[in-house]
Amino acid sequence: MSENASPARTSPGTALVTGPTAGIGHSFAVQLAQRGHDLVLVARDRTRLEEVAAELRTAYGVDVEVLPADLVDRASLATVEARVADRERPIELLVNNAGFGMKERFLANPVDAENAMLDVLVTSVLRLSHAALGAMTERGHGGVINVSSVAAFLPRGTYAAAKAWVNSFSEWAANEYRPQGVTVMALCPGFTRTEFHQRMDVSQDSSPGFLWLDADELVATALRDYDRGAAISIPSARYKAITTVARVVPNRVLQRLQTLGRK
């Protein structure tokens, strides 16, 4: 190597992030790129994916692959599964971040819409985790971060039920696969300033200002928790307190309090 030549960049491995074009997913993509990870970005909108990919390549000099996919569609999901399971191009970290919610209560929503939400929040997490963990346990290292929600600790319909599954699955997988060198963690954010609530047509004025989190700070905390091997990450003292109370208060009482809050 000549005196003026730059040393070759060493990547800590490739991270695949679903839903990386905005909000928490975008913060994950940026902060993982800052750490030197090459990236695979998965979302439905190819144009926005390409924009984010170009931004990250320019800013951080990492390789970025875009993989347009609709996780509700089983054939499209299978394409992502195959990429996650690819032993020749290994994924070191899978971030299952894609998701959406619905403003209306259960019976006001078409059942197909409820099922589509379940496909994204549960089925895609299960199938992509299965693909990732198979490859990671074979080679003895890797990790999965599943973006859940503090709603998992509260009786709030099918969204909360789906996130409770994510927490339960992630905590089990963390203990099951830690001896094989794999880290699994559920991230449980509260209200976060992203496009998530805008897409639901829910104003950020709907909840007190002190409850709202910054996506970049949230992800920085999550990555620190992941680095130390946490199975569950709950960013901010206020949400740690809320989830602690929710664990000891009966669900029927919590549900009643939430009903009163909507009146």
Side-chain angles (χ1 to χ4, degrees), residues 75-93:
S76 191
L77 175 58
T79 300
V80 185
E81 289 178 65
R83 179 63 186 88
V84 171
D86 189 337
R87 269 63 168 176
E88 299 301 318
R89 298 178 297 160
I91 297 299
E92 184 65 19
L93 174 62

Side-chain angles (χ1 to χ4, degrees), residues 202-237:
V202 174
S203 169
Q204 292 190 7
D205 295 333
S206 62
S207 298
F210 74 90
L211 287 176
W212 290 90
L213 303 175
D214 176 79
D216 292 338
E217 293 176 3
L218 183 156
V219 169
T221 299
L223 289 174
R224 288 194 296 271
D225 287 344
Y226 173 81
D227 289 341
R228 67 179 180 81
I232 302 286
S233 173
I234 304 173
S236 87

Side-chain angles (χ1 to χ4, degrees), residues 150-158 160-161 246 249-256 258 262:
V150 295
F153 301 93
L154 301 167
R156 292 182 62 89
T158 49
V249 175
N251 273 353
R252 65 180 183 278
V253 176
L254 292 172
Q255 192 164 349
R256 178 61 179 162
Q258 293 175 89
R262 284 193 289 264

Side-chain angles (χ1 to χ4, degrees), residues 174-197:
N175 294 322
E176 180 78 5
Y177 299 112
R178 183 178 291 114
Q180 293 167 263
V182 179
T183 300
V184 181
M185 185 184 83
L187 166 61
C188 299
F191 292 110
T192 307
R193 291 185 176 88
T194 69
E195 291 182 1
F196 181 86
H197 291 89

Side-chain angles (χ1 to χ4, degrees), residues 21-40:
T21 57
I24 293 172
H26 184 263
S27 292
F28 265 115
V30 169
Q31 294 187 42
L32 291 171
Q34 288 173 338
R35 289 178 166 217
H37 287 274
D38 293 325
L39 297 167
V40 180

